[in-house]
């Protein structure tokens, strides 16, 4: 492999990404070098660039939702070999720590976390690997506990979505909320994660799924994926939780918040039936606190958070890829654009408009050749 390959670098917050040639170090012990074939643009990438903007978070290569092929492996790697189809993981699974061994969580013990040391260098500077992955790039080097091997039959330009958005939303309904057959659900926010939550509610057997979004253009896609109703809060002159309570005889059994807005998180909780409703927070933000009144929970509601849909990294990704190949999971419906790496800033602008679900960035073969 040549020492340098094309990457998109975020040199500073709130600025366009820049195509650069970056030196990618060879994999060291327990590491895998992956040729990225397809990556999707996720709102979390935009959050880092435009909202969170941590002072120590730049320069960085963004991207964390992708699929690729193993190019080479470092010493002590036994699970992977060149040519394997894989999905890099922002949530690793070592299968050895207390957390990984527990069925109660998909988290990994803090001491076992990987991805803090970057293998990228550009213009003499170390470039950070966002979320330990950095998939807006031709090649990445990543620890083997943060890689999931997938079925060789899987189309990488589809299953890359399983690396974040699909698992996050689908699992929030199935694994975290534990939606039951015959129940009533509400999903707030119809980006890719919210639409995946709708799909998860349907798979779990919910009889009524109310999709909530400010954009009426998203209603049709939500119904294709299983929504029975669409509600736009702007169409009503009272709070959305009151609207949903009126539609459902007091409140829904389950609600899933997929926006990352603290006011929406509260609305989603208040939309649940006070006696037993379960509300799951999926949308990410660190910018504001949530304010609620204790009776909202004392009455019997449950408020839960969900990271990566409760899926353990390696196991969950492989399971979801199999579900797609078995035609139990929809992915094509989530893709709205196919673009190339040199169009990455255009892709980000489209995502900022809030109209699109998933924009794929495909890597053109002539840019780099697998050896």
């Amino acid at each position: 492999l040549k020492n340098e390959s094309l990457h998109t670098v975020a040199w500073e917050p709130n600025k366009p990404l820049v195509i650069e040639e970056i030196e990618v170090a060879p994999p060291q012990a327990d590491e895998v070098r992956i040729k990225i074939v397809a990556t999707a643009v996720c709102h979390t990438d935009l959050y880092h660039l435009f909202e969170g903007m941590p002072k120590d978070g730049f320069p960085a290569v963004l991207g964390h939702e992708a699929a690729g092929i193993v190019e080479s492996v470092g010493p002590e790697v036994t699970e992977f070999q060149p040519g394997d189809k894989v999905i890099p993981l922002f949530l690793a699974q070592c299968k050895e720590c207390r957390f990984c061994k527990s069925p109660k969580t998909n988290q990994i013990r803090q001491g076992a976390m990987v991805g803090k040391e970057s293998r990228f260098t550009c213009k003499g500077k170390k470039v950070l690997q966002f979320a330990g992955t950095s998939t807006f790039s031709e090649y990445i080097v990543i620890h083997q506990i943060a890689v999931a091997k997938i079925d060789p039959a899987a189309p990488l330009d589809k299953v890359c979505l399983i690396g974040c958005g699909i698992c996050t939303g689908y699992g929030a309904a199935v694994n975290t909320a534990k939606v039951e057959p015959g129940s009533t659900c509400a999903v707030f926010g119809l980006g890719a994660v919210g639409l995946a939550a709708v799909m998860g509610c349907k798979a779990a057997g919910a009889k009524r799924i109310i999709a909530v979004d400010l954009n009426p253009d998203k209603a049709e896609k939500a119904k294709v994926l299983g929504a029975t109703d669409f509600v736009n809060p702007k169409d009503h002159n009272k709070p959305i939780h009151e609207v949903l309570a009126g539609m459902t005889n007091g409140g829904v059994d389950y609600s899933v918040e997929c926006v990352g807005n603290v006011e929406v998180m509260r609305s989603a909780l208040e939309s649940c039936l006070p006696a037993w409703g379960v509300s799951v927070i999926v949308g990410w933000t660190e910018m504001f606190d949530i304010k609620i009144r204790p009776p909202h929970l004392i009455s019997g509601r449950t408020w839960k958070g969900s990271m990566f849909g409760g899926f353990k990294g390696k196991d969950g990704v492989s399971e979801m890829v199999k579900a797609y190949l078995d035609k139990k999971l929809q992915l094509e419906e989530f893709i709205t654009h196919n673009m190339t790496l040199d169009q990455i800033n255009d892709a980000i602008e489209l995502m900022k408009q809030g109209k699109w679900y998933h924009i794929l960035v495909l890597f053109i073969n002539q840019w780099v050749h697998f050896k």
Side-chain angles (χ1 to χ4, degrees):
L1 173 71
K2 60 186 180 181
N3 290 330
E4 294 185 336
S5 56
L6 294 179
H7 297 61
T8 59
V9 179
W11 286 106
E12 53 185 317
N14 208 24
K15 298 288 185 182
L17 305 187
V18 182
I19 301 285
E20 302 278 14
E21 282 199 343
I22 288 184
E23 183 177 346
V24 183
Q28 299 183 16
D30 294 313
E31 292 181 342
V32 179
R33 186 157 57 186
I34 300 168
K35 173 191 174 184
I36 300 297
V37 173
T39 185
V41 181
C42 172
H43 186 268
T44 304
D45 303 308
L46 275 63
Y47 178 86
H48 183 88
L49 187 61
F50 299 113
E51 297 177 54
M53 298 186 293
K55 292 181 181 178
D56 58 352
F58 300 89
V61 175
L62 301 180
H64 61 283
E65 185 176 47
I69 298 169
V70 173
E71 178 270 333
S72 59
V73 300
E76 302 176 31
V77 174
T78 57
E79 185 181 350
F80 303 97
Q81 60 185 10
D84 285 344
K85 286 187 176 182
V86 294
I87 290 178
L89 306 171
F90 66 86
L91 184 61
Q93 183 186 359
C94 70
K95 302 190 177 184
E96 296 178 357
C97 72
R98 180 185 179 188
F99 288 8
C100 283
K101 288 181 177 179
S102 172
K104 296 180 179 180
T105 183
N106 65 343
Q107 304 296 303
I108 184 169
R109 185 176 57 83
Q110 191 66 32
M113 289 296 288
V114 296
K116 297 192 183 221
E117 186 174 350
S118 174
R119 297 289 177 249
F120 294 157
T121 306
C122 182
K123 299 178 180 178
K125 294 183 179 180
K126 273 290 182 185
V127 177
L128 301 175
Q129 289 189 230
F130 175 66
T133 53
S134 291
T135 60
F136 293 171
S137 52
E138 288 186 313
Y139 284 91
I140 63 171
V141 173
I142 190 169
H143 197 286
Q144 63 177 338
I145 69 172
V147 182
K149 185 187 294 187
I150 61 174
D151 193 307
L156 298 180
D157 62 339
K158 305 294 188 299
V159 299
C160 62
L161 305 185
I162 289 172
C164 180
I166 301 299
C167 282
T168 297
Y170 188 94
V174 174
N175 299 328
T176 309
K178 299 187 186 301
V179 170
E180 296 177 327
S183 61
T184 299
C185 304
V187 176
F188 288 74
L190 299 178
V193 173
L195 290 171
V198 168
M199 186 167 59
C201 291
K202 181 181 180 182
K207 72 175 180 182
R208 192 172 187 189
I209 304 167
I210 304 170
V212 182
D213 200 282
L214 297 174
N215 184 350
D217 294 339
K218 294 184 176 181
E220 183 178 350
K221 181 67 72 173
K223 291 182 178 179
V224 167
L225 292 167
T228 56
D229 304 81
F230 175 83
V231 176
N232 185 340
K234 293 192 293 187
D235 293 340
H236 301 272
N237 57 9
K238 57 184 176 181
I240 186 63
H241 70 273
E242 293 183 11
V243 174
L244 296 186
M247 294 172 62
T248 58
N249 191 27
V252 299
D253 299 303
Y254 304 94
S255 67
V256 185
E257 188 278 340
C258 303
V259 179
N261 179 296
V262 294
E263 296 301 323
V264 179
M265 293 172 188
R266 176 169 175 163
S267 294
L269 177 70
E270 292 175 327
S271 298
C272 286
L273 200 64
W276 63 70
V278 175
S279 186
V280 178
I281 296 174
V282 181
W284 181 273
T285 183
E286 296 178 294
M287 299 176 68
F288 304 101
D289 294 332
I290 306 175
K291 294 181 181 180
I292 63 164
R293 295 179 179 177
H296 286 146
L297 297 176
I298 292 171
S299 61
R301 291 187 180 99
T302 301
W303 215 359
K304 306 174 78 173
S306 184
M307 170 74 78
F308 198 49
F311 285 106
K312 288 184 180 287
K314 288 176 179 282
D315 297 341
V317 163
S318 297
E319 172 191 331
M320 289 289 275
V321 170
K322 184 178 186 303
Y324 170 70
L325 294 175
D326 290 343
K327 302 189 184 307
K328 297 178 181 177
L329 191 71
Q330 295 171 277
L331 293 180
E332 286 86 352
E333 289 76 8
F334 288 82
I335 300 169
T336 60
H337 296 73
N338 287 321
M339 307 180 81
T340 52
L341 187 61
D342 59 340
Q343 297 173 297
I344 189 67
N345 289 307
D346 296 331
I348 288 172
E349 285 302 313
L350 286 170
M351 286 291 288
K352 283 170 67 177
Q353 294 174 15
K355 297 179 181 179
W356 315 109
Y357 317 118
H358 256 128
I359 298 169
L360 287 192
V361 177
L362 304 174
F363 289 80
I364 300 174
N365 291 335
Q366 62 259 33
W367 280 354
V368 64
H369 296 285
F370 176 67
K371 298 179 181 178

